[in-house]
Amino acid sequence: MKPPLLRFRHASVGYGSSPVLTGVTLDVVEGNFVGVLGHNGSGKTTLLKTILGLIPNLKGEFAARGKAGGAPRFGYVPQKERLDPLYPLTGRDVAAMGTYRRLELFRRLRGLAREDHIAECLADCGAAALADKRFSDLSGGQKQRVLIARALAAEPEVLALDEPLSGIDVTTQRALIKLLKHLKEERGLTVLMVSHRVHVEKDLFTHVVWCDEGKAHSGETGEMLKGRLGEMFRGEM
Amino acid sequence: MSLLAEVLAPSFLLHHAVYGSLAVGFVCPLVGVYIILRRMVFWGVALPQVSAAGIAAALMLQGLGYAWLSGGEAGERHLAIVGAVLFTGAAILALAWLERRGGSVGDGRLGALYAAAGAATILCVAWNAAGETEMMGLLKGEIVSISESDFHAMINAFAAIAAGLFLFQKELLLVSFDRDMAVTLGRSVVVWDALLYLMVGLTVSLGVMTVGPLVIFGLLVLPPMAALPWARSMGALSVLASLAGGLSALGGFLLSYSYDLPLGPVIVGAATAAWAASAALRALVDLRNGGRAAP
Ligand SMILES: Nc1ncnc2c1ncn2[C@@H]1O[C@H](COP(=O)(O)OP(=O)(O)O)[C@@H](O)[C@H]1O
Ligand SMILES: [Mg+2]
């Protein structure tokens, strides 16, 4: 078995002195497609932020190890509502941010253009036509495509998406799910996807993390659905 | 345009005022773009007032006979700069520290700071009869009289700020637009925020020395507001805002010189006119394009 990319052991995640989830024990292995599920306020975003290194884990053990030894390269797709529409940015401008890693200055001085790479990422996400449109004018689904392209532009090992399907019509949701499946296969990505719904993406996830009442229950999707959680999911629908 | 040639000539008596206003006019809006986009307008209100308080305090100390602080006639102008930079720097450090510690009364803190700085300015002037003319001049938008070498240092500082904003536009955009993304890309949000705050602080304190707090607040906010409805990229926003600010400063100076009006309010008036014209034109264009609202 491959060593896990992400590993939690009896960890607590949360803010300052108030943990949101406790006793988190969880492995994410390369190639997994993990659904992080739970009701609003159950701690899904908090768990994701810990994984991304945006907040420290409060207790226990958390390790993230990518191919190069250190933390894996993350491609982050935040909740689109968080981005301020005031900025005059095109789809291409937003996607280009994926390439703003450290040392970019040296590349820039060497005149190494990243235009092709950015255009390719946009095209892979079906967003080539959005490159010159104003980002804040795009529909929810279009924004999501641009944000996924931005994450890809960072050449990630792990793609982490926060509620990518919320506020989007069902047809577009299906198209986005298809896109994510395709990208995962094509690029050999590990994917973490936060969602407060369950039924739509059931056949998408290899693994599920169910956040509920301060605990994170995790396992293979099939196993999870057979047990107690399966009944709960069915009850929910 | 002989008037233009006259005021731009190096031999022109008020050339510090002309070139100082122009530098401020072009550079202030570049910093102001980030203040508008990051929704920090209250910072733009409070910090110029704090700078003014710093200058007033420096002039008061000097008026009270602490000449040893300034080291004589030429040094007294250093003291005004030091006062502005020290007060503004301290305020930014305190505000940034409080913001990182969290809490939801950021706007309230800035309001309180503005009130306190305004009061401190007036008290410092009251305790210092000699400084009153200079301070009144500053509030009207007249440049504090400074030595030729200090003036050059100031212009160079503005040029350095403009260069820094240009060189690091990607980083500054990234940490402003999406801090979390910046962290996942391995960027240090603290460092880039600190650099931006440093440039805001320097622009404000040097600018207040040049044209007073009112003009600085006006130039931080009005030109970016005028540019925003037309800009389709960050580069365009910066260039348009800078042009609007620079031209407001130049137009303001010419008007003020020709009709003997106080410089500060005229520059702010010109910038306000630019903003109003821009907003009206945008509304008109949108109406013609079928009622799509301005972004
Ligand atoms: N920055 C924060 N500081 C303190 N508490 C927070 C913060 N963000 C979220 N919380 C709290 O943490 C809990 C989980 O939030 P979150 O992880 O965003 O939920 P979800 O993403 O599952 O809807 C909520 O009770 C929320 O109030
Ligand atoms: Mg959430």
Side-chain angles (χ1 to χ4, degrees):
Chain A
M1 211 179 107
K2 295 174 199 164
L5 271 170
L6 307 170
R7 183 187 143 94
F8 284 96
R9 287 295 176 273
H10 314 291
S12 296
V13 302
Y15 305 90
S17 55
S18 51
V20 176
L21 296 170
T22 58
V24 180
T25 292
L26 169 68
D27 284 334
V28 174
V29 178
E30 193 188 319
N32 285 2
F33 198 130
V34 183
V36 181
L37 311 176
H39 301 295
N40 278 329
S42 58
K44 306 179 297 291
T45 298
T46 307
L47 183 63
L48 197 66
K49 281 185 174 174
T50 309
I51 290 171
L52 292 169
L54 300 173
I55 53 176
N57 69 314
L58 303 180
K59 243 172 69 183
E61 183 194 325
F62 165 60
R65 197 156 317 259
K67 287 197 192 82
R73 292 163 75 97
F74 287 110
Y76 178 39
V77 180
Q79 279 180 278
K80 58 190 181 309
E81 295 75 18
R82 247 201 39 228
L83 301 172
D84 197 327
L86 201 55
Y87 288 73
L89 299 168
T90 60
R92 182 184 295 107
D93 293 337
V94 171
M97 284 180 204
T99 66
Y100 292 1
R101 269 188 205 281
R102 218 178 1 221
L103 299 182
E104 187 63 15
L105 180 65
F106 297 106
R107 275 194 198 161
R108 217 183 305 161
L109 291 180
R110 292 210 317 258
L112 217 123
R114 314 230 76 203
E115 290 300 316
D116 291 348
H117 173 61
I118 294 159
E120 190 190 305
C121 292
L122 281 166
D124 280 2
C125 296
L130 310 175
D132 293 313
K133 296 226 167 75
R134 196 184 156 108
F135 180 73
S136 55
D137 288 347
L138 300 180
S139 73
Q142 290 174 323
K143 275 184 186 162
Q144 213 54 253
R145 285 178 188 277
V146 171
L147 290 175
I148 295 170
R150 180 178 80 153
L152 292 182
E155 298 175 331
E157 292 167 64
V158 180
L159 189 61
L161 308 101
D162 200 349
E163 305 273 7
L165 304 180
S166 76
I168 287 173
D169 65 85
V170 178
T171 321
T172 310
Q173 283 186 0
R174 289 214 185 92
L176 283 173
I177 287 173
K178 218 174 120 189
L179 169 67
L180 288 174
K181 262 185 181 165
H182 173 75
L183 290 174
K184 177 188 179 302
E185 302 303 325
E186 197 88 327
R187 300 184 175 233
L189 296 171
T190 306
V191 185
L192 303 173
M193 178 171 141
V194 166
S195 176
H196 66 273
R197 350 185 1 164
V198 181
H199 56 289
V200 191
E201 307 92 317
K202 204 157 51 186
D203 59 340
L204 183 65
F205 304 138
T206 62
H207 294 72
V208 168
V209 179
W210 172 250
C211 302
D212 191 33
E213 296 187 341
K215 295 289 172 193
H217 313 270
S218 64
E220 283 180 27
T221 307
E223 298 296 314
M224 293 288 281
L225 286 175
K226 260 185 243 156
R228 185 169 60 88
L229 291 168
E231 270 165 46
M232 191 155 58
F233 290 164
R234 274 188 288 279
E236 295 230 321
M237 289 179 248
Chain B
M1 279 203 85
S2 62
L3 178 63
L4 194 59
E6 181 191 341
V7 302
L8 290 180
S11 58
F12 182 54
L13 191 63
L14 302 171
H15 75 278
H16 277 187
V18 183
Y19 287 102
S21 311
L22 280 177
V24 169
F26 280 111
V27 175
C28 241
L30 294 174
V31 176
V33 161
Y34 289 97
I35 288 186
I36 294 285
L37 290 179
R38 291 171 69 126
R39 302 187 187 263
M40 293 168 59
V41 169
F42 272 30
W43 286 67
V45 182
L47 290 180
Q49 194 60 55
V50 170
S51 287
I55 295 170
L59 294 177
M60 178 189 76
L61 283 179
Q62 179 223 329
L64 290 177
Y66 291 94
W68 50 271
L69 272 176
S70 59
E73 190 53 25
E76 88 195 27
R77 312 306 175 193
H78 288 307
L79 196 58
I81 296 181
V82 169
V85 171
L86 270 187
F87 271 53
T88 313
I92 288 178
L93 278 181
L95 288 169
W97 181 70
L98 286 169
E99 199 174 73
R100 282 190 73 76
R101 276 191 53 209
S104 52
V105 289
D107 287 352
R109 279 196 290 259
L110 287 162
L113 183 64
Y114 174 74
T121 309
I122 295 172
L123 282 177
C124 287
V125 172
W127 282 327
N128 173 28
E132 195 152 345
T133 15
E134 181 116 58
M135 210 54 212
M136 267 314 291
L138 190 67
L139 294 176
K140 277 193 291 185
E142 284 160 20
I143 188 166
V144 173
S145 47
I146 56 179
S147 75
E148 195 64 34
S149 61
D150 280 0
F151 182 74
H152 282 146
M154 198 167 80
I155 297 290
N156 287 338
F158 279 126
I161 289 163
L165 289 169
F166 178 74
L167 204 58
F168 300 120
Q169 51 185 323
K170 287 186 174 181
E171 285 78 6
L172 295 173
L173 170 65
L174 182 64
V175 299
S176 301
F177 182 67
D178 193 345
R179 314 169 70 74
D180 288 353
M181 173 89 175
V183 175
T184 66
L185 289 177
R187 310 309 301 243
S188 170
V189 174
V190 177
V191 167
W192 292 106
D193 269 357
L195 180 73
L196 183 65
Y197 288 173
L198 177 73
M199 292 195 282
V200 170
L202 269 179
T203 306
V204 168
S205 30
L206 294 177
V208 168
M209 288 281 302
T210 316
V211 288
L214 172 71
V215 180
I216 291 307
F217 175 49
L219 287 176
L220 283 174
V221 173
L222 288 164
M225 294 280 288
L228 208 48
W230 305 97
R232 298 188 52 94
S233 69
M234 286 295 289
L237 179 60
S238 295
V239 169
L240 286 175
S242 180
L243 279 178
L247 293 179
S248 298
L250 181 62
F253 189 89
L254 293 176
L255 274 177
S256 134
Y257 180 63
S258 304
Y259 297 98
D260 197 20
L261 294 167
L263 179 60
V266 180
I267 292 182
V268 173
T272 309
W275 168 63
S278 157
L281 201 61
R282 183 76 240 185
L284 215 67
V285 169
D286 288 339
L287 213 63
R288 286 188 133 197
N289 291 351
R292 206 185 64 94

